[in-house]
Amino acid sequence: MTSSSQNPRLVRVAASDLVHGLYVAELDRPWAEVPVMFQGFVIGDDEELQILQRHCKYVFVDPGRSREDAARSLEAADAEAEPEPEPSGRREGDGESSESFADARLPDKDAFRESLTEAKEHRNAAADFLDEALRGVQAGESLDAEGTRETVSELAAAVARNTTASLWLTNLRERDEYTTRHAINVCVLMLAFGVHYGFDRTELERLAMGALLMDVGMTRMPQELVNRPGPLTASGWAMMKGHTLAGVEIVKAAGYVPRETLEIIELHHERLDGSGYPHGLQGSQIPMHARLAGLFDTYDEMTRPRVSQDAMPPDRVLQQLHNEAEQTFGLALVQQFIRCVGVYPAGSLVELDNGAAAAVLGSRPDARSRPIVLLVRTPDGETYDKRVLLNLAADPEATGPAARSVRRVLDPVAEGIDVASIVAFEFGLG
C-alpha cells in the first residue's frame, strides 16, 4: 500500500480490497466521473462498493475517519468487515419499496397512480385529524392522545404499503404552508426510515407520534410570531424556543405518552455540538430518536419553498446535511438517511446519460443511484408528447429508452421545470 502524494495520511487501496466502513477520501479519477454523491464518504453498502469497483482501479482511504474494524482490515486483507450498526431494531427489509417497480424497464404508470392516490388519502386523513386536534389545543382543550395514536398507526400501515408513494407526496406543498403539513412530512420520513431499517412496529409508532406532535407547543406561542413572514427579533426568537417545553406540557396533560415520544418533542432541536435548545445538550446526551426527528425536521424545512425564495433541491440539502453532520446529527445517521431516501431523492430533477431530463419518483433499496424516473424533457430540449416511467435499475438487456444512468443533478428553477406540478398532473393529483 502507498500513501497519497497530496495527503500522507491517506492509504492507497485496490478497489477489489475495499470493505464496508472505509472512508474514501480520493479516487484515481475525477469525482465527477463516478456516480457517488459526496466527495468523501464512508462505504456503507454493497451498491457503493460495486460503483467504486466498477469505475476505479484504486482509491485513497483515510484510516482515521474509517470505522475501526474496517481500518484494521487495511493491515489484514483477509479480515472481514462487520456490517455498519443499524440505528435501532433489526433490519428486515424495505417493505413495499423493494417491490414497487421490480425489474420492469417501463413500470406501470397506472399502478403508481393507484399507490399515490391511496397514500394521499391516508395523508389527508392524518392532516385533517391533526388540524382539528391543534385547533382544539389552541382553544384550551386537551390533546386527543388516543386519536393521535390511531392516526399514527393508520399512517404507519399506509407508509409500509406504499413507501415510495408516501415519500414522493412530501414534495406536494405550498409556500409557507400551515404547520400541519410539515408535521405530516416529518412523520412520514420517520415512518419510511423505520420501515427501511426494520424498526419494531411499537417502537416506530412511538417515534412517529413524537414526530407528528413535535411542534404542538407552537399553539401556545403568540401567533403573530408563528405567522411572522420575516426573521424574528432576538426576544421573539427566545420566546419561540419555548415551544418544545410547552409541547411536552401539552402532551403530558393528555395522559400517558411513551418516553420516546416526549423526548422527541422536547429535544428535536438539540445538536451534537451543543448549539441547540432548550438545554444545549451535547453528543450522547441527545437520544438517537431525537436526533432522527431533528434530521427529518431540518430536511423538510430546507426543501420547503418560501414566499421569498424557492426550495433548495433535495440533493443539495443532503449534501449540506452531510457536510455539517459532525456538528448536528452525526455522520452515520445522515448517511443512513441518505441510503433510505436515495442518492437522488424523490422530487429531484436529473439529467440522464442521453441528455434527457427526468423527475425522480423513487428508487429500489438495492439501487439507490439508479432511480425510477418520469421523463419530462427530451435530449433535444423538447417536452415529451407522452411521458413515460423509466426504471434505471432494470436489466440492461431490457427494452426501452436508451438512457441507462444519471449524468448529473439539475436545478429545477434554472431549468424552468416544476417537478411537483408535472408529477401531480401526470398522476391525477391536481
Side-chain angles (χ1 to χ4, degrees):
M1 299 181 187
T2 59
S3 298
S4 166
S5 58
Q6 296 179 333
N7 188 341
R9 294 180 305 169
L10 304 185
V11 176
R12 173 173 160 163
V13 180
S16 58
D17 292 335
L18 293 172
V19 296
H20 294 184
L22 291 176
Y23 185 93
V24 179
E26 295 180 12
L27 307 178
D28 62 356
R29 65 196 62 246
W31 285 96
E33 296 179 7
V34 181
V36 292
M37 186 166 190
F38 302 114
Q39 297 188 22
F41 65 97
V42 176
I43 301 173
D45 56 33
D46 288 339
E47 186 188 7
E48 291 170 347
L49 268 179
Q50 292 165 6
I51 289 173
L52 292 171
Q53 291 168 348
R54 187 162 58 245
H55 292 271
C56 303
K57 293 182 178 179
Y58 62 87
V59 303
F60 288 97
V61 167
D62 187 340
R65 302 182 71 178
S66 299
R67 210 172 61 223
E68 185 177 351
D69 62 320
R72 287 197 301 268
S73 74
L74 297 176
E75 301 299 326
D78 60 342
E80 290 186 1
E82 298 177 0
E84 183 175 272
E86 301 300 343
S88 175
R90 176 173 58 87
R91 185 162 183 174
E92 298 175 340
D94 303 282
E96 165 273 344
S97 59
S98 62
E99 301 295 334
S100 292
F101 302 101
D103 295 320
R105 179 68 174 167
L106 300 175
D108 184 354
K109 288 179 69 174
D110 288 337
F112 189 62
R113 180 181 292 108
E114 291 174 5
S115 294
L116 283 173
T117 300
E118 180 187 353
K120 188 177 181 183
E121 289 174 356
H122 286 282
R123 177 189 173 86
N124 287 347
D128 289 344
F129 167 81
L130 189 59
D131 276 337
E132 184 175 353
L134 293 182
R135 282 195 294 269
V137 171
Q138 198 162 15
E141 301 172 5
S142 295
L143 176 73
D144 182 357
E146 186 56 37
T148 304
R149 290 190 189 93
E150 292 176 2
T151 296
V152 167
S153 181
E154 292 171 3
L155 194 58
V159 172
R161 286 194 303 272
N162 293 312
T163 308
T164 301
S166 297
L167 279 175
W168 192 86
L169 288 173
T170 62
N171 292 283
L172 283 183
R173 294 174 290 184
E174 300 294 333
R175 292 175 185 269
D176 289 323
E177 63 188 4
Y178 187 59
T179 304
T180 300
R181 275 60 188 173
H182 172 60
I184 297 291
N185 284 349
V186 177
C187 184
V188 166
L189 288 168
M190 180 70 81
L191 289 168
F193 186 90
V195 168
H196 181 73
Y197 280 100
F199 283 12
D200 173 83
R201 179 65 178 263
T202 300
E203 175 191 16
L204 179 56
E205 290 186 3
R206 290 177 176 180
L207 304 190
M209 189 172 177
L212 191 67
L213 297 176
M214 64 184 184
D215 286 333
V216 68
M218 288 291 188
T219 60
R220 296 276 176 86
M221 300 295 105
Q223 292 307 293
E224 62 270 19
L225 293 182
V226 175
N227 299 320
R228 182 185 173 99
L232 295 172
T233 63
S235 60
W237 177 237
M239 184 176 295
M240 284 291 285
K241 285 182 178 180
H243 80 273
T244 58
L245 297 179
V248 170
E249 292 179 2
I250 291 169
V251 176
K252 277 186 175 180
Y256 171 74
V257 175
R259 171 184 54 84
E260 297 91 337
T261 299
L262 294 173
E263 287 180 339
I264 284 176
I265 296 169
E266 182 176 357
L267 305 177
H268 66 277
H269 283 295
E270 299 286 359
R271 300 295 181 260
L272 290 177
D273 63 1
S275 63
Y277 64 90
H279 307 298
L281 302 182
Q282 297 182 7
S284 60
Q285 294 177 314
I286 309 170
M288 185 277 296
H289 43 268
R291 285 191 287 133
L292 270 179
L295 171 59
F296 304 151
D297 176 38
T298 303
Y299 176 79
D300 190 67
E301 278 288 343
M302 293 176 70
T303 55
R304 179 167 66 94
R306 310 297 178 93
V307 169
S308 58
Q309 67 184 60
D310 294 300
M312 187 183 297
D315 67 288
R316 197 181 305 165
V317 173
L318 291 180
Q319 178 72 70
Q320 184 169 328
L321 289 170
H322 185 272
N323 292 344
E324 299 172 354
E326 293 182 0
Q327 291 77 46
T328 54
F329 309 108
L331 185 59
L333 215 58
V334 173
Q335 289 181 330
Q336 287 162 344
F337 176 50
I338 292 169
R339 290 179 196 119
C340 173
V341 298
V343 175
Y344 309 108
S348 300
L349 182 69
V350 296
E351 181 180 273
L352 305 181
D353 56 359
N354 67 347
V360 176
L361 299 185
S363 59
R364 291 188 346 208
D366 61 339
R368 292 304 191 191
S369 65
R370 291 170 289 158
I372 294 90
V373 299
L374 177 72
L375 299 178
V376 298
R377 194 176 65 192
T378 71
D380 297 326
E382 303 295 328
T383 300
Y384 277 98
D385 292 332
K386 181 180 179 180
R387 300 188 180 105
V388 299
L389 286 181
L390 181 62
N391 181 3
L392 299 178
D395 183 344
E397 301 303 319
T399 59
R404 298 290 169 182
S405 63
V406 174
R407 177 183 293 164
R408 64 189 177 110
V409 179
L410 299 174
D411 184 339
V413 176
E415 300 296 327
I417 296 176
D418 187 337
V419 172
S421 294
I422 288 175
V423 177
F425 174 80
E426 193 68 28
F427 293 98
L429 298 178

